[in-house]
Amino acid sequence: MAFCVLRTSFYNSNRRDTKILPVSYVGNPRCTPMPKVRILFRIFAISFSLQVLSGFFICSARADDGFIRSEIHKLTSENTATRKDAVIALAKTGDMRVEAILQSYKLSELYVWNEAVVLCKEIIEDEDFNEFCRVADVLTGEPILDAGGEPHEIPVEELEEISPSRAERKLANSAKFLLRLSSPDRDIRMSGAKKCGDPPGIIASVRQLREMSENDPVKKIRYIAKESLLLIRLNQTSVASDPHAHLEVARELGNMKSMRGRPQLQKLFDALMKTPNGAKPVYDDARKTYKFSIDQIDGYQGFVGGVGNIFRGLSLGSVLILMALGLAITFGLMGVINMAHGELMMIGAYATFEVQRLFGHSPDNPSDLYYIAALPAAFLTAAFVGYLIEVSVVRYLYRRPLESLLATWGIGLILIQLVRIRYGDNIGVNAPTWARGGVEIVQDLVLPYSRCFIIVLCGMCVLLIYYLMNYTKLGLRMRATMQNRNMARSVGVNTQRVDRYTFAFGAGIAGVAGCAWTLIGSVTPDMGQTNFIIDSFLVVVTGGVGELIGVICAGLGIGVLTKVVEPTQIGSFVVGAIWAKILLLVVIVAFIQFKPAGLFAPKGRLSDI
Amino acid sequence: MFRSKPKLRSIATISLLLMVVGMLGVTQANAGPHEVKIGVLHSLSGTMAISETSLKDVVLMAVEEINANGGVMGKQVKPVVVDPASDWDLFAEKAKDLIVKEKVAVVFGCWTSVSRKSVLPVFEENNSLLFYPVQYEGEEQSLNVFYTAATPNQQLVPAAEYMMEEIGAKKFYLLGTDYVFPRTANKVLKAYLKTKGVPDENIVEEYTPFHHQDYQTIVGKIKTFAAGGDACVLSTINGDSNVPFYKEFANQGLTSDDCPIMAFSVAEDELRAMDVPPLVGHLATWNYFQSINTPENKKFVKNFKAFCEQNNLPGGSDRVTDDPIEAAYFGVYVWKAAVEKAKSFDVDKVRAAVYGLEFDAPGGKKMMHASNQHTLKPVYVGEIKKNGQFKIVYKSDGLVSPDSYSKYLHPDGNFPAPTGGPKVAVLSSEE
């Protein structure tokens, strides 16, 4: 035992939260591994030292560099308590540069050189295997220059490492969240507010959390701060010592329908269930309160889960519809079993990638307009490829479904390998910034923007096709050709050209689907075969070949059915993704047995074969 | 309706194409007296091409380097590259071709466990050598294979330990693709977590089919699971499913602070194909990262990028190195060192020379195990950065010794005997 510090303190800003506790602090900071008991002691001591200093927590004060530097210097102290105090003091500055410093401290990237703390991220070696370090300023991260204006390279032997113990690393981590409470950035502040309340809770954050729960401009953060506050209080109090306050907190968490509170309440409830009934009247009270709150939360979460499942079903359904729309035209209307349909979607996705590259869009340097340009680009590229396929192969194979199946499958393979040779297998399409994240429409129900966008896009595509088919001359000619080719020809329709345009249009819609897919899925050369082709045919065949309304009904039906079945729990068995897929296929096979023509009977060329 | 002319033309075109393809297929040169042939057995088409192509590239790079420096024992190395096209039966067939027809001295290849299992009998029957460069589920030890990547105790167990000790996770969501590696990996992880006192209700195990793309429901479940703030995901999701999983995870508002994801199948090469911002802050455990800060590694990365650029490989200088790429690369050098130590290309002599071999890999000094066919390696935990690279946040003390059979699955310590090896020789010498 190296040394032992005894400290006591009052934390008087909120009497209900804390009590006066003597804490013995034991352990040599540099000796690892430590026995478990010691670690426990340390963790206890840390949470306490946080508590000690929280009394003078000043919100959003921006400390000057001199103060930060002097606190950083204290990290080199031999005294563990001094080091810990320094970490807390750094966190309290609310200066966002400190987060990087704490991170470097955690990763042992800080060194002492010439009695100053420096940052060293890179070790270089000369021909004689001597190791040198390019040191940088700990606060600014700028390289320290020598007399000649070159980056200073210091032999590694001259540097003394600052290596925090595991407990100190954890403290630095907690301090990071404390620091985040002062961030001007909404998301960072929110993550800080959340983590400060997660068990065991950072008691030092209580005052600031309270302030945030009342005054923060963002409603969600006010909610989270209040939730965290209650969680800390729930951990601090107990039924035995202060039943009134404790149960009040439990009730409040229930009223807030707090999802984060639920596991805590459940734990407390389970613990109480082990005590015999009627042992203490207050225990029975507590049991009831916990149970009531848990039920309250579960009821709300059940409702949110149900709505969420419906949304997920709609989202999956719209993706399926989008995939199948193009096929509904090439297969449904024209009767070509187009196995290259998936590859046309893949081409749409790669066209999106090309447009992204053209616009120079990257996560660091976003230019969100690229996506607007990518939609028509994907349509045109895929339509062009579709046009070529029709001209070169498909037009010889009308009314010969088996041959068209084989030929288009071969074309698909050729397209896959061409793309693989050109792009390799690994390319990433970066979603535009507006498609990241989601909107929380009610508490705990987040609808991702990308999925909302795809639902809208799907609706627009359906309307476009409906309009084109029913209200334009081209649509009229298409329908005429598909229904009775010879009659259409005899009244002067150039059926060959109509075929070409129809096929190209179907391919173009597939391209749009591929472009939309980049927002939510992965882009690989064989994505068409692995992800799309089977699902697309499934939707078209189930819906009834040749009917737009059939595709919509089948797509939504399959989507919602899958997403409602997947999370279902029967006893201890959860259906899950694999069984949901199998069940779905069984249902469709059974359905096709009874209604071989699908939901809506086919019209168009297939019906008169 | 059908005219014959275009049909004839297309038939002519197709047959011409076929001829070209056929000619490409027969460009296998015979080994001269100053040459030694090695086999490269990685899928260059089909679903696994996404991962395996890079390994073929790096093996060819190692061969080029070795040849430029005088070859192996004065002989130039002649690589024979075949494409098993992600088809497990074809793997066995191509392996047999390489060993019997081409008479290669050694084969570098395979990625998935199923491909390795399918070539195993071929290598054991012919007593030939395979260097296998990908982390796998263990529970195997063939005298005809050298495993240059991690066993479960060099990747899975340290990762779970890191999550518990450093992150403080108490609840574990084991999520994987439905095949042998995730299933066995999760068996090991579960057994390990139980020895650490994690109760059953704090472990959830879930699988998705290959190429699964809709993670809405699963992410919803994780959100509820992680509400207490002390949960993590241990992910053995494979290949293209990772992209929709991480995207959905971020889009539903979860961050690495709420619930960190520790991945076992996401390395730098996979990150190239991903939209990285949703992954930032999540973790992965490997035995090598491109960001390892040593001169040897920097040189290796530079050489690999230059090699890809010079040979006009897709990606060019944007290519990255990762754990399997390093393991495939140093595998060639281990073989070279063993051949030179044994002064022979004979499989049995080379095998004996590999045991206990110490060598310099791009990621630092490593060592082959003295008997169990695997490699002693360091363990790193990396945090994903915005640029698709990893920031190393944990490094093991020294090298971790490999267990071919997990002690968590065989608590009694009864491991099966190694398979394969020199059958005839061993039998006669023992009797």
Side-chain angles (χ1 to χ4, degrees), chain B residues 237-260:
Chain B
I237 295 179
N238 192 282
D240 57 356
S241 292
N242 276 304
V243 177
F245 172 58
Y246 283 100
K247 274 190 180 170
E248 191 66 37
F249 197 84
N251 283 346
Q252 288 202 24
L254 285 166
T255 65
S256 56
D257 290 326
D258 302 329
C259 176

Side-chain angles (χ1 to χ4, degrees), chain B residues 316-333:
Chain B
S317 62
D318 289 341
R319 293 280 287 271
V320 293
T321 61
D322 64 12
D323 182 279
I325 291 177
E326 191 225 12
Y329 175 80
F330 75 65
V332 184
Y333 277 96

